Amino acid sequence: MNRLLALAVIGLTQSLVAGDEEEGRSVLLLYKKMTPMSGFSVGQPFNVTLSIFNRGQGDAYSLVINDDNWKSDKFRVVAGANNFTLDYLNHGESHVHEFTVVPIKKAWHRVRPARMAFIDGVEGENTVMHMSNNLPDIRIAAEKDLLEESLLSFGRVITLNTVQTKKGWMYASSGVVLFLLVQLFRIAKQVLKQRRHLRALDDLTKKGS
Ligand SMILES: *[C@@H]1O[C@H](CO)[C@@H](O)[C@H](O)[C@H]1NC(C)=O
Ligand SMILES: *[C@@H]1O[C@H](CO)[C@@H](O)[C@H](O)[C@H]1NC(C)=O
């Protein structure tokens, strides 16, 4: 009976110690995001944001984050860096890192999670590996029609930036057609009125003579 009690006490203290250790750990989350999330095309930059949160009770050290997903055969990293390091990330803190990528080739692209390595606690010895969330594959379209682009930007200038898209132009031109129809109708009405006038005048002069 005593032995059983002793075992139970040992078990309890062990789990308490383990619990204490759990409490002192850093718990890191790595979140990868792209802005925009769709409509990718050659030459159009987009941003990649990597956010790290330390949701644990302990601090993390020597963080190395790699987002080696933008190889030079398909992309250029034009601002910021896809790899970066942090000396530490204290518990309860977060860090946001952003870089800009330009696609250089029409392609389907598998977006892979970013990877992070860190050391848990100032006395930590093991490197902990962590991956970010997954994102769907993206389709990179061919370069937008340059003529269409320049026509649209010309249109933007002459309409003082009120008409910005092809759709916008379709609405605008149906507006113009409507306006012309109304004008035509008014002119026709004027002509008819004038004709009636002339006829009346004619009748008068006939009667007069
Ligand atoms: C990317 O980030 C930069 C700097 O924060 C910003 O100026 C730019 O508009 C962003 N581009 C996109 C496509 O969100
Ligand atoms: C980013 O890190 C990866 C993996 O360590 C490496 O292969 C790649 O060359 C690095 N890219 C840049 C632009 O530093």
Side-chain angles (χ1 to χ4, degrees):
M1 190 65 206
N2 270 352
R3 251 179 70 130
L4 255 175
L5 195 66
L7 276 178
V9 169
I10 289 168
L12 192 66
T13 33
Q14 269 174 351
S15 60
L16 277 178
V17 169
D20 277 345
E21 267 171 15
E22 283 298 314
E23 257 180 33
R25 299 200 85 123
S26 57
V27 176
L28 295 200
L29 301 176
L30 176 60
Y31 181 65
K32 177 171 172 173
K33 191 182 84 168
M34 287 187 288
T35 334
M37 281 293 269
S38 59
F40 300 95
S41 71
V42 171
Q44 293 287 312
F46 61 90
N47 288 338
V48 181
T49 313
L50 300 174
S51 308
I52 314 168
F53 306 89
N54 186 348
R55 286 281 159 78
Q57 305 283 323
D59 305 334
Y61 293 87
S62 306
L63 297 88
V64 178
I65 298 92
N66 290 325
D67 191 26
D68 197 24
N69 193 207
W70 314 106
K71 302 267 194 235
S72 57
D73 61 332
K74 288 196 223 160
F75 300 97
R76 294 278 179 273
V77 177
V78 295
N82 58 320
N83 294 339
F84 68 102
T85 60
L86 290 176
D87 290 341
Y88 59 88
L89 188 66
N90 291 336
H91 67 280
E93 289 188 348
S94 60
H95 180 87
V96 177
H97 177 89
E98 190 175 67
F99 57 93
T100 307
V101 179
V102 176
I104 57 168
K105 198 173 150 192
K106 179 179 176 226
W108 271 98
H109 181 63
R110 172 151 296 162
V111 182
R112 298 190 186 278
R115 306 163 138 271
M116 171 169 65
F118 65 96
I119 292 178
D120 177 22
V122 71
E123 310 257 280
E125 280 170 3
N126 298 331
T127 299
V128 183
M129 295 297 303
H130 190 85
M131 305 267 257
S132 77
N133 54 307
N134 267 304
L135 286 168
D137 294 359
I138 60 174
R139 191 178 74 88
I140 296 151
E143 203 151 357
K144 280 198 186 140
D145 190 337
L146 277 178
L147 178 66
E148 185 179 296
E149 276 290 288
S150 46
L151 277 179
L152 279 178
S153 49
F154 176 68
R156 245 170 260 166
V157 172
I158 59 168
T159 61
L160 300 174
N161 215 17
T162 51
V163 182
Q164 299 188 352
T165 61
K166 214 151 91 171
K167 216 169 178 180
W169 274 109
M170 270 148 66
Y171 286 134
S173 51
S174 46
V176 169
V177 168
L178 201 66
F179 175 77
L180 288 179
L181 280 176
V182 168
Q183 292 304 312
L184 211 63
F185 183 70
R186 277 178 52 182
I187 291 169
K189 234 168 95 181
Q190 284 290 334
V191 169
L192 282 178
K193 210 164 132 191
Q194 215 136 23
R195 243 194 225 163
R196 235 177 288 138
H197 235 87
L198 283 178
R199 216 178 299 141
L201 211 64
D202 225 22
D203 285 352
L204 269 180
T205 42
K206 265 184 203 151
K207 265 186 210 152
S209 62

